Amino acid sequence: MNTRRPHAPAADVWLMAFTIACGVTGIVVSAGWRFGDGHMLPAAILATVAGVALPWRHQRPLAVVTLTTVCAMCQGLLGMLITPLLTAPMTVALYSVGVREDVRVRRTAALISGLGMAASGIALTLRDHEFFLTVVNPVSWALLPVAFGSYVQVRRALAASRAEQAERAREEEAHRRVIEERMRIARELHDVVAHHLALANAQASTAAHLGRSNPEQAFAILDQLSGTTASALRELKATVSVLRQKSDEENLAPAPGLARLPDLTAACAAAGVRVEVVVDGETRDLSPAVDLTAYRIAQEALTNVTKHAAVPEAELRLAYTDRYLTLTVRNALAGPQRAAPGRGYGLTGMRERALSVGGTFHAGRRPDGGFEAACTLPLHHRDPDEGNAP
């Protein structure tokens, strides 16, 4: 360790001057009470030495504690009354140890100063001084700065720990929000791409099947196929644009909702899937988040019908109550399905969407051989990210 005296900053200069002034004041007070009045000059020199040593308290804490303690002991042995003014340099050195050093150094410093003050106090007591003034008070003044400095250190460590925990919590919250945003965008991309590609595939397959037997109908389906792909590109562009925008205000395109069900059923009809829409109860206004969720679940469920149903027919039922909307999509009643549903992310995405707005979702085979996907959604849901979804 470097033992050279560091360049003393202004604070250390003022601290030296203050502690030396306190020490000299303590000597004058002692002389006023007729304690050591004949040894004021040596005592003042000791006070100056103790104060000048303080700038090294951070580099050599135990050495400075020992030096300031020895100076205070010598002043006591010169007959001075050991007061907080006289031990000001020792107090500063001990407080610095309590605030900055570990437990081992703090205990050592407290032991050095406590034993030193006790030894000098006992020596003075043998000279007919009062035990309380010469032993109890100096030992207390030697131990209190270490204890108080240790308390300050613990408080600072606790504050730093709380700040670190708060920062970690903020990072975890930000990470959670990033994951949620990724999942939301992934659901949007899956719904847009899977739905339109399934319709396009069904339209292309139907056109290929009718190419020889009914060319005119095949060409009509191919014309509708271009509209399906164009719609897919528009929705995909709207979804991806959210990733590029700098603020929420830039996304001015309205999110799709149940008002677009006629377009959705028309697209399914173009793919050869007939969809019957049934509305039970009085139609009610939905919050934007619930409206988007209901539309996306209906879209994904009809996409599954297009890909998996044995008979290209489906019933989409909307049941409104005072507080909830129940949306049910059932495929036609017949035969085995062309492919087993639920192997991809469609059902998982629908369940996540329903849960995100406080709703429920279930899907499974019906006793009569069909398949049913149903969700119950609250009519209104306060979403902090409402309006940001494409």
Side-chain angles (χ1 to χ4, degrees):
M1 184 179 294
N2 184 11
T3 59
R4 293 181 302 171
R5 183 179 186 276
H7 176 69
D12 281 341
V13 173
W14 283 106
L15 184 62
M16 283 191 300
F18 175 74
T19 54
I20 292 172
C22 288
V24 173
T25 303
I27 293 170
V28 173
V29 171
S30 296
W33 285 91
R34 300 186 180 280
F35 287 98
D37 52 352
H39 302 89
M40 294 181 61
L41 181 59
I45 294 174
L46 290 171
T48 303
V49 171
V52 171
L54 289 179
W56 280 282
R57 68 190 183 280
H58 300 318
Q59 289 75 28
R60 297 285 187 178
L62 291 180
V64 174
V65 167
T66 302
L67 178 60
T68 54
T69 301
V70 170
C71 290
M73 292 174 58
C74 293
Q75 288 171 328
L77 294 176
L78 289 174
M80 299 296 168
L81 181 63
I82 305 298
T83 63
L85 289 174
L86 200 68
T87 60
M90 184 184 70
T91 300
V92 173
L94 290 172
Y95 176 77
S96 179
V97 168
V99 169
R100 298 173 59 93
E101 305 301 330
D102 57 26
V103 176
R104 183 184 61 83
V105 177
R106 293 201 300 266
R107 289 177 179 174
T108 303
L111 187 63
I112 292 173
S113 59
L115 290 179
M117 291 294 97
S120 63
I122 292 173
L124 292 176
T125 302
L126 296 177
R127 298 154 94 185
D128 298 328
H129 288 344
E130 294 184 8
F131 179 80
F132 183 82
L133 290 177
T134 58
V135 178
V136 177
N137 278 357
V139 173
S140 301
W141 298 327
L143 298 181
L144 284 177
V146 180
F148 185 70
S150 301
Y151 168 77
V152 173
Q153 185 185 66
V154 171
R155 293 282 301 193
R156 290 178 179 176
L158 181 60
S161 176
R162 289 177 177 174
E164 183 179 354
Q165 291 178 359
E167 180 64 24
R168 189 181 301 113
R170 286 193 293 268
E171 292 177 356
E172 292 176 355
E173 177 67 14
H175 182 64
R176 184 187 65 81
R177 289 182 176 273
V178 168
I179 293 177
E180 290 181 352
E181 183 66 11
R182 287 177 178 173
M183 294 296 296
R184 184 183 67 83
I185 294 173
R187 287 196 299 264
E188 292 294 330
L189 291 175
H190 174 272
D191 292 348
V192 171
V193 174
H195 171 69
H196 289 93
L197 287 184
L199 293 182
N201 179 67
Q203 290 171 337
S205 299
T206 304
H209 178 72
L210 298 175
R212 293 184 179 181
S213 61
N214 194 341
E216 292 183 0
Q217 187 176 357
F219 282 119
I221 293 176
L222 290 176
D223 289 338
Q224 295 172 345
L225 177 60
S226 63
T228 300
T229 56
S231 177
L233 290 175
R234 284 195 301 270
E235 287 205 39
L236 187 60
K237 181 179 179 181
T239 302
V240 175
S241 66
V242 177
L243 303 177
R244 297 178 176 177
Q245 68 186 21
K246 297 180 180 179
S247 63
D248 296 339
E249 289 73 11
E250 295 182 17
N251 184 23
L252 301 179
L258 292 181
R260 291 177 55 178
L261 273 184
D263 297 335
L264 180 60
T265 56
C268 292
V273 178
R274 186 176 66 86
V275 180
E276 179 184 2
V277 179
V278 180
V279 180
D280 294 334
E282 182 181 355
T283 303
R284 298 179 182 275
D285 294 332
L286 306 176
S287 67
V290 175
D291 201 16
L292 171 63
T293 298
Y295 175 81
R296 290 302 190 196
I297 291 177
Q299 184 185 54
E300 180 62 26
L302 293 177
T303 300
N304 288 341
V305 172
T306 303
K307 294 190 293 184
H308 304 300
V311 176
E313 294 181 359
E315 178 189 82
L316 192 158
R317 182 177 295 273
L318 300 173
Y320 289 91
T321 64
D322 293 338
R323 298 177 58 187
Y324 295 98
L325 163 67
T326 299
L327 186 151
T328 307
V329 177
R330 299 171 179 170
N331 70 329
L333 312 177
Q337 296 181 323
R338 295 198 299 264
R343 293 181 178 176
Y345 297 100
L347 295 181
T348 301
M350 287 189 281
R351 181 173 291 103
E352 289 177 349
R353 283 188 178 278
L355 294 177
S356 68
V357 295
T360 60
F361 175 84
H362 75 272
R365 292 183 182 274
R366 299 166 58 195
D368 52 16
F371 194 84
E372 176 182 276
C375 66
T376 299
L377 308 174
L379 298 181
H380 299 283
H381 172 72
R382 295 181 63 85
D383 189 347
D385 296 328
E386 195 170 275
N388 297 338

